[in-house]
Amino acid sequence: MSRTEETLIDGGLQQTAWLTAGCHVSAGAAWALHRPVSAWLIDRFGMPPFTDRLKYFTVHGVAQRAAAIDRMLDARLSEWEANGDTYEVWSLGAGFDSRWYSLGGRPGLRRYLEFDLPDLLTRKRALLDASPYAQEYARVIAMPGEVQETVAAAAPEEGNRLMVVIEGMIDYLDAEEKRRLLADLAAKQGGCEVIVDVQNGHLTRHNNRRAERATGTAVVRFSPAPDHPEHFYTAATGFRLHATEALFPGLFKARFPRLGLLLPLPERVRRSYLLLHLVPAR
């Protein structure tokens, strides 16, 4: 590992945050994903040292996920803006992501909050304060701490609608932690909506084995996921399902264009990775 790589992850920052930025850069063009801030970070520090051991579905899956969230988020925020609503966006487990940059010019956005561990957000602030994006990032509000505890104590400003984006994070929580996080969000004054990517149990087991081979460690692991995520995330959580997008079929067809047209995927594979848009049940 080079010295610049050591600097980027100094202080115990998760390598997954660095990996996410790298995937946005290396595979973003294939999914029409534009992340100039990630490109700046990777240009300065390089890719994570284990990237060459990652498979197509991991690298492209991270980029595809971000692009799909951007589309789903844009559709909903555009509806709110058409109604004259103001809103704020909370990014849970924000890492080095930079969705705040693309949202900065939206007329309805009043606040953008990032929730993550203190060391990571401190390092991110120091890096971006010395970047060409310092002015834009100065408007982002850092919410350091254990994400679930910080979210439970936070509140949107009066008059703002609330959109919560949980990207690449929720499957690290166990079942009870997932339920508690969703319950805290559902209880926010005025309600909130959530866009979240979720795996089923089949995929988390597969990804844990793959991650261990790629990184040589079992430290970062997904928790066991429900076999039927759509039911789990709407059963007694205070939310109902507004929209769902199955992400894996698009990845499979992009990787195997001819085979993807001919080979029907088993249900547990086709529905193994979903993007959910949750709205208040009441």
Side-chain angles (χ1 to χ4, degrees), residues 8 68 74 154 163 189 273:
L8 183 59
D74 175 70
M163 175 63 77
Q189 184 175 0
Y273 194 31

Side-chain angles (χ1 to χ4, degrees), residues 88-167:
E88 50 196 76
V89 175
W90 294 5
S91 175
L92 275 53
F96 288 130
D97 189 44
S98 53
R99 185 168 284 111
W100 46 268
Y101 182 76
S102 60
L103 295 180
R106 297 202 70 115
L109 182 66
R110 293 297 178 267
R111 299 202 305 169
Y112 191 102
L113 280 63
E114 290 190 328
F115 295 76
D116 215 315
L117 297 175
D119 285 350
L120 193 151
L121 290 180
T122 298
R123 182 61 179 149
K124 183 176 183 179
R125 180 70 65 179
L127 286 170
L128 293 180
D129 280 352
S131 78
Y133 307 98
Q135 183 175 353
E136 293 87 350
Y137 194 57
R139 294 191 287 269
V140 175
I141 301 170
M143 302 293 289
E146 291 293 337
V147 171
Q148 294 136 283
E149 297 175 5
T150 313
V151 166
E157 289 186 340
E158 185 175 355
N160 288 342
R161 303 192 72 160
L162 175 58
M163 175 63 77
V164 177
V165 176
I166 312 175
E167 182 176 1

